[in-house]
Every structure is written in C-alpha cells, then in structure tokens.
Amino acid sequence: MNLPAETSTFVGRDTELAEVSRLMGDSRLVTLTGPGGVGKTRLAIRAAATGSEHVYFAELAAEQNGDLLAHAVAAALGLREQSVRPQAEVVAEHLADKRLLLVLDTCEHLIDATRDLVTHILATAPGVRVLATSRQPLSLPSECVYRVEPLTDADAQRLFCDRAVAVLPQFTPTDAVVRLCTRLEGIPLALELAARRLRALSPEEMADRLDDRFALLGGGGRTGRHDGLRSAVGWSHELCTPDERLLWARLSVFAGSFDVEAAGQVCADERLGNVPGVLARLADKSIVRADDDRYRMLDTIREYGRDWLRELGEEELQLRRHRDYYLTLAREADADWFGPNQFTWALWVRCELPNLRLALDHSIASAVGLELVGALWFVWFCLGEIREGRYYLDRALERNGKPGPARTKALWAAAWVSFAQGDLDLVAHRTAEACEAALEQQDWVGAGYAHLGLGALTIVKGDPERGGVTVEQAIGYFERAGGRHVGKLVAATVLGLCLLMRDEHERAAALMAEQRAECESAGEVWARSGGDYIRSRVELGRGDPVAADRLARAGLRAVWRFGDLVSSAVAVDQLAMTACAVGDHPRAARLLGAGQRIWDSFGLSQFGSPDFGGPRLETERQARGALGDAEFEREYREGEQSPERAIGFALGGLPNSRVVRWNLPAPE
C-alpha cells in the first residue's frame, strides 16, 4: 500500500464514504468527479484506506504526456520494468493475477490515455478494481460516477475551525464564520486557504471582502457554481505582495515538485531578487506546500498562476528558462557521471523526472531538445528508463535530421537503448550512422561510444573475434579524445566478455584487474559493476563458485540500486549459475525465474544471442535435471512472481548451499 499520508484531520463525509464504499463493492470502476478543490483526492484516499485490499496510489497531476501515463502507473505499482511492447500491456499483464485497488488521482488532463489504460486493465485483470478522481468522467460503459459535492454547512464550519486552531491556537468561532463558510460554498480548499489568512484578517474582515467580491462577480449574487473556490484563490492572490504574486505565476511552469535552487534559477530576475525568501512566504500562506527540501503546488493553485503568467506575457519566456535550466543540469550530470557522484545524480533524476519530461516535451522538435535527450543518455540506459529513452530519442531524431555532434550523441544513445531492448536491426542502423558521422566530425568521444555499440552488437550476434577488434577501436578513440570517459571502462568490460567467449579467462582476469583499479581511482560504481560480473565469470571458470557468487552479488547490489535493468538481469542469471555450481538447484531455478521476468520486461532474453545465452540454458538444463520438471517449475514461478523479492533473495548469498565459505569476502 502506497497511499499518501494524511497530514491533517479528515472532517465529515461519513455519508459520502459509505456511498463510495458501496459503489466500489458493486463496480470495478468508480470515478469521483467534481471541481478542483472539492475534496476528491482526500475522499478517495480515505475510501481506499478503509478497504481490506492492497492499494496502490498513482498521482497523475505531474504527468503531462498521455503517451507516458502507463509508465507513471507502473512506477506507482513498483514496476520498474520497461518494455518494447506498449507499457499499457506490461502494466495489465503485471496486474493480470493480482487482487488490488488501483487509485488513479487527477485524470482529467489525460482523459483519453486514462480511458484506454483502464479499459485494458479491466479486461485483463479481473481481480483489480479502479478508483479514479477527475473533473470529468472517463465515459466507460462499466464506470460508476459519483459526484463529490461541497461539505455541508456544519462540516464546512468544523473544517474551517479545525484549520483555524492549527493557525491560531487561541481562535474562537464567531457568527462571521457561518457567513464566511457560506460564501466559500463549503469547498474544502477554499476553506483551508481562508483559514491560513487568519494571521492577517479576522473572519469578519474576510467575510466582508468576499461579500464585495461576489457583488463584483454577479450583482450581489452568484454567477455560477463554486465561485467560492475561484474567489478564495483569487482573494489569496490579492492578499499576496507583488513579488509573491510574480513568483506564484512563474512557479507554475514546474511539473511535480521543485527545490529552492531550481526556483531561483528559473524565476529570479531584476524584478524578483530574493526568491528563497519569497518562496518561504508563499509556503507560509499555503500557496506552495513544503515537503522536506522540495516544494509543490496544488493543481488549482498552479492553474491560477499559469493564467496570470499568460496575462503577464511571460509563459513562453518562463518555459524557455525552465528548459535551459534543466539542460544546464543535464550537461553537468553527463559530464560528472564518471566518478563518485553517480548516486547523487541518480537521486536528482528520480526527483526531477517530471520536470525533465516537461522540458523534453516542450523542446523535442528543436536542436535544444536533441541535445537534452542525448545528455540524458545515462538516465535512459544506466538508470533503467529504457522505454522513455526510446520514446524521446526516436522523436528527437525524427525531428532533427541535421548532422552535428548532438545528433551523433543521440544516435549512439538510441543504439544503446535499442540494444537493451533487443532491437538489433535498429542497433545496426543507428551505430552505422553514428560511426560515420562521428568520424566525419572528428568527434572521437562519439566515435568511441558508437564503435562500442557496434562491437557489442557484433559479439552478441556470435562473432567475438570481429567484435573484439571493434571494441579495441572504441578504446583507441576514447584514448585519442583524452580525458576520462565511462565508455572506456564499459568497453573494457565488453572486451573481457569477448575474451571469455574465446576461453581466454586469464587475459580477461588481468584486464578486469586494470578496469577495477581505474574504477576505484575515479570512485566509479556503475561501470565497476560490469567488471564484477566478468570477474565472477572468471572465478566460476576457475572452479570457485563461492568467490563468483560474492562478485556477482556486489555487482547486482549496485546496479539494482541504480535501477539498471539490463545489468540486473545479467547479474541474476550469473547468480543462478553460481547456485547451480554448488548444487543448490532450487535456488538456481528460482533465480532463473527472476532473471527471465526482468529480461522479459525490456526485451529479448540474453539479447536474443545463443552464444551469450548459452550458460543460462546450460544452468536450466542442470537444475531441471536435478529437481525434475515439477519442482523446477515451482521454484521458477516463485522467482518469476516478484523480481523485487527475488533480488532480496539473490543478495542474501548462498545460505542454502551447504558451502561453509559462502559468507567470506569477495576476492580482490
């Protein structure tokens, strides 16, 4: 269960909760509709929490691209996998045998994509129920729509007083509270915004001002339903100082959350100097919500700010500033990826993915977008965002055909992502174009990465001799470029694999010792994990499966933390081999199942290569022979059920192997 924590008391809604619970018992799809701020999300969270099922909550407000909706839902499910198949199919397949409640919060801006995904899930996963919140229904035949209305007068007053006491502990209700809550129409967000104003205005003063506002809106009456919310937000805007209003408008360009540094870089200018101070005041007024060192806006607040940004004529300017800020950081991350700061950058990416997507969505057809998507190559390949990388790289290359270093980088990055998915024909096409372009431009770093991709392709196609020559060319190009490049360390790993496939185990061991020393010198973790895998293969070939197991686990621990799915699948298969080598065939079968599940999530098992996949097939043959088909399949399916649980199992070492040395340190 990943429901958001409730940070304030839940007031009223007893009748609504009972009715929503009844509807959820009768229908597999219930959609809570109503205007912004009426309390759809809080009601959904409380209704979901009262049930007995496992609940998964997907917050969709920050996702602006319908093509990536299923990815956001997959992340909420803890499904880190990517796939060459449509992600909706991957999600539906994952849910097919599950019994759970999936809450999809804030769907109205992605209504078509949500409708398609929910249709697929309901058709494929009979044990899954969906509770959605949206300002409009999904309009599906099986949908049961429940309109969330404002709070009753009594509950509205209770909510206001509860929030008022949190602001002013000495607060005492007066008759003006009744008039104020009536004017705010019982809309929870409006009431909460008003309660935050109590430090500046009394309930009487607020009610009087709202009376004036409604008179302006409609001759002393209401112009329509829920003018109270618009009034409360607009009134909060009026109570802000000019610099607070300006920052509110400019912050509306962020997707999801942001930190103080980002706010300052994107929003500050000669008109708005002290962004941290103004941001703190907006947080105090509940215009933004602070969450540790990051901030976010509610959708209704963001929309109001965006409207004002358009009125100011600054929307395009601020979107460019947002894009340029994230391009600058992406360049820095790319340059700094080789070294000790990899986990710091990985955490940055996890926090900033919504903003990176937004920057790409607004620039993908331009040269800036092409550079940005290439600079993020490590996100797509090293951090497991394979499907998104393929999506953005393909579109950037389609829309930017002019040769240049940025296109060359996007080409080899696209080749690496396609290699991970097993789309080897596209890898051949992309690497050939990248190699030619890099050499023509005398881009030696690009030539190194492109030839590395071409060499890896040649190896998995069964020609380690020619592949090794190409990888050595890649190393030569990296050396010609000068400086330190993570690609050179990856190339050493791929060359080590060539040597293993040619039965040159001692040469591979010597090469990996050099690679390890260089990684340690640079504080490099990600590339070292590849060397750990080759060293594990060497130790297994030497007849020491215990040392091999320790090395494979060391590599897996690093790449799983990064979210690197390709390397994780390779490492899990290697651990199955070490288990088989010590006679722990149940463990081997379970790990084979886990490995296959990860492989299936992003492409072909073992890249579709009989040569690369031969050891896995031999491990399966031995384990199946020792256990018999029935027991093998039981263990295999257990590993296949949950890769996350199986990874924990894999990292536990060989406790069932009856080998007394299983917990010794890995060999140096």
Side-chain angles (χ1 to χ4, degrees):
M1 182 177 293
N2 68 336
L3 284 173
E6 294 186 284
T7 57
S8 59
T9 56
F10 186 84
V11 175
R13 301 292 196 194
D14 292 341
T15 302
E16 292 93 329
L17 274 171
E19 181 62 11
V20 171
S21 297
R22 185 189 68 79
L23 294 175
M24 290 167 60
D26 294 340
S27 174
R28 292 181 58 211
L29 171 61
V30 176
T31 302
L32 307 185
T33 66
V38 80
K40 300 183 295 296
T41 298
R42 285 298 299 269
L43 181 58
I45 291 172
R46 180 55 65 100
T50 58
S52 59
E53 296 170 293
H54 290 293
V55 181
Y56 290 89
F57 183 91
E59 182 181 3
L60 305 179
E63 182 55 72
Q64 300 299 309
N65 190 330
D67 291 338
L68 300 178
L69 169 68
H71 178 77
V73 175
L77 292 167
L79 188 65
R80 295 200 291 178
E81 300 129 301
Q82 319 292 326
S83 177
V84 292
R85 296 175 294 145
Q87 188 72 349
E89 292 183 9
V90 177
V91 169
E93 181 181 285
H94 171 75
L95 295 173
D97 59 350
K98 305 292 191 300
R99 294 190 62 83
L100 56 85
L101 174 65
L102 177 62
V103 182
L104 303 179
D105 184 48
T106 314
C107 303
E108 60 271 2
H109 60 304
L110 303 169
I111 204 74
D112 291 337
T114 305
R115 184 186 299 119
D116 293 343
L117 177 61
V118 170
T119 298
H120 205 159
I121 290 173
L122 294 179
T124 307
V128 172
R129 295 187 298 144
V130 177
L131 177 61
T133 73
S134 176
R135 297 185 192 181
Q136 66 182 89
L138 302 184
S139 300
L140 288 172
S142 59
E143 181 180 27
C144 184
V145 178
Y146 182 81
R147 182 172 179 82
V148 180
E149 298 292 348
L151 294 168
T152 64
D153 290 344
D155 284 340
Q157 293 162 33
R158 284 177 54 208
L159 177 65
F160 179 84
C161 292
D162 180 87
R163 302 302 189 259
V165 170
V167 174
L168 295 174
Q170 71 275 20
F171 174 79
T172 302
T174 65
D175 291 342
V177 170
V178 177
R179 184 159 56 99
L180 179 61
C181 292
T182 300
R183 278 306 195 185
L184 294 176
E185 299 174 305
I187 299 175
L189 177 57
L191 294 164
E192 296 204 13
L193 288 172
R196 297 294 294 183
R197 302 287 79 79
L198 285 171
R199 291 195 182 105
L201 297 169
S202 69
E204 289 80 7
E205 291 171 315
M206 286 191 278
D208 289 342
R209 292 196 181 192
L210 280 174
D211 282 341
D212 292 341
R213 173 172 284 276
F214 278 123
L216 290 172
L217 285 171
R222 300 178 186 178
T223 61
R225 293 176 62 83
H226 309 310
D227 285 329
L229 176 60
R230 293 196 301 274
S231 270
V233 176
W235 175 49
S236 293
H237 189 260
E238 290 175 6
L239 291 176
C240 288
T241 60
D243 56 351
E244 290 168 358
R245 294 177 200 165
L246 183 58
L247 182 58
W248 178 348
R250 290 179 176 179
L251 290 172
S252 69
V253 299
F254 286 98
S257 64
F258 54 89
D259 60 18
V260 174
E261 173 69 17
Q265 292 296 323
V266 173
C267 301
D269 62 9
E270 65 279 359
R271 296 172 59 198
L272 192 58
N274 181 22
V275 168
V278 180
L279 181 60
R281 299 204 307 267
L282 286 178
D284 188 55
K285 293 180 177 180
S286 297
I287 303 304
V288 297
R289 294 189 171 184
D291 182 11
D292 293 329
D293 59 348
R294 297 186 69 81
Y295 298 83
R296 66 174 62 244
M297 279 183 169
L298 292 174
D299 288 342
T300 305
I301 304 296
R302 181 184 291 109
E303 289 169 9
Y304 194 95
R306 184 61 70 90
D307 287 342
W308 271 93
L309 194 64
R310 294 189 187 104
E311 287 290 326
L312 293 170
E314 289 192 1
E315 184 176 26
E316 287 304 315
L317 171 63
Q318 286 304 118
L319 286 171
R320 285 197 302 273
R321 294 189 66 179
H322 177 277
R323 176 204 66 191
D324 292 345
Y325 170 71
Y326 284 100
L327 174 60
T328 298
L329 281 180
R331 288 170 175 160
E332 185 180 342
D334 180 16
D336 199 34
W337 182 249
F338 183 164
N341 297 321
Q342 287 175 334
F343 285 121
T344 300
W345 285 116
L347 179 60
W348 172 76
V349 168
R350 299 302 174 207
C351 292
E352 297 289 4
L353 258 180
N355 284 303
L356 292 170
R357 292 178 189 131
L358 179 64
L360 285 166
D361 287 335
H362 280 90
S363 65
I364 200 68
S366 69
V368 174
L370 183 67
E371 182 183 359
L372 178 58
V373 76
L376 294 172
W377 72 271
F378 68 97
V379 177
W380 318 134
F381 190 79
C382 307
L383 302 184
E385 301 296 338
I386 298 167
R387 187 187 64 87
E388 287 200 44
R390 178 73 178 268
Y391 174 87
Y392 284 118
L393 284 161
D394 284 353
R395 279 152 185 76
L397 289 168
E398 287 168 5
R399 291 161 171 76
N400 296 273
K402 184 178 179 180
R407 178 173 170 83
T408 303
K409 187 165 191 171
L411 281 167
W412 65 251
W416 280 35
V417 169
S418 299
F419 184 88
Q421 293 184 314
D423 192 348
L424 301 186
D425 289 340
L426 187 60
V427 175
H429 173 72
R430 298 291 201 210
T431 53
E433 185 179 351
C435 287
E436 182 180 353
L439 293 176
E440 186 175 306
Q441 298 157 12
Q442 296 188 349
D443 174 5
W444 308 125
V445 174
Y449 281 107
H451 281 78
L452 174 55
L454 181 60
L457 173 67
T458 307
I459 291 164
V460 300
K461 283 190 169 182
D463 190 349
E465 291 287 345
R466 190 161 61 93
V469 171
T470 305
V471 174
E472 286 177 339
Q473 287 179 318
I475 293 173
Y477 287 125
F478 285 124
E479 291 175 344
R480 185 171 183 176
R484 307 178 90 176
H485 305 282
V486 72
K488 183 181 176 183
L489 298 176
V490 177
T493 299
V494 176
L495 191 56
L497 177 63
C498 285
L499 295 171
L500 288 177
M501 294 174 73
R502 285 157 31 185
D503 292 326
E504 298 182 52
H505 288 72
E506 295 310 314
R507 284 188 61 195
L511 180 62
M512 289 303 96
E514 295 175 9
Q515 191 252 22
R516 182 174 186 269
E518 190 167 352
C519 286
E520 289 184 339
S521 172
E524 167 66 43
V525 177
W526 177 74
R528 177 177 170 174
S529 66
D532 289 336
Y533 165 72
I534 298 299
R535 293 171 67 213
S536 176
R537 291 273 301 260
V538 168
E539 293 299 333
L540 194 59
R542 288 171 170 171
D544 192 343
V546 175
D549 181 83
R550 293 289 293 180
L551 286 162
R553 283 190 290 119
L556 175 59
R557 188 173 292 108
V559 294
W560 189 253
R561 184 177 171 191
F562 281 120
D564 180 347
L565 300 169
V566 179
S567 300
S568 294
V570 170
V572 170
D573 280 355
Q574 176 65 10
L575 286 168
M577 296 172 205
T578 64
C580 191
V582 297
D584 196 341
H585 298 109
R587 179 182 179 81
R590 186 176 298 191
L591 291 173
L592 285 171
Q596 188 62 53
R597 172 67 181 273
I598 300 172
W599 281 111
D600 288 345
S601 71
F602 61 81
L604 297 176
S605 179
Q606 304 282 327
F607 313 112
S609 167
D611 294 273
F612 190 75
R616 177 188 166 91
L617 292 175
E618 176 60 21
T619 301
E620 179 176 344
R621 187 191 66 78
Q622 291 182 23
R624 189 181 291 273
L627 297 173
D629 288 341
E631 186 177 351
F632 177 88
E633 292 296 338
R634 277 195 300 272
E635 294 289 348
Y636 189 93
R637 284 194 297 272
E638 177 65 26
E640 212 174 18
Q641 284 297 312
S642 171
E644 289 79 9
R645 188 168 61 199
I647 291 295
F649 176 73
L651 292 175
L654 290 167
N656 300 325
S657 68
R658 299 180 300 279
V659 177
V660 296
R661 293 191 299 131
W662 74 270
N663 60 346
L664 292 178
E668 294 298 318

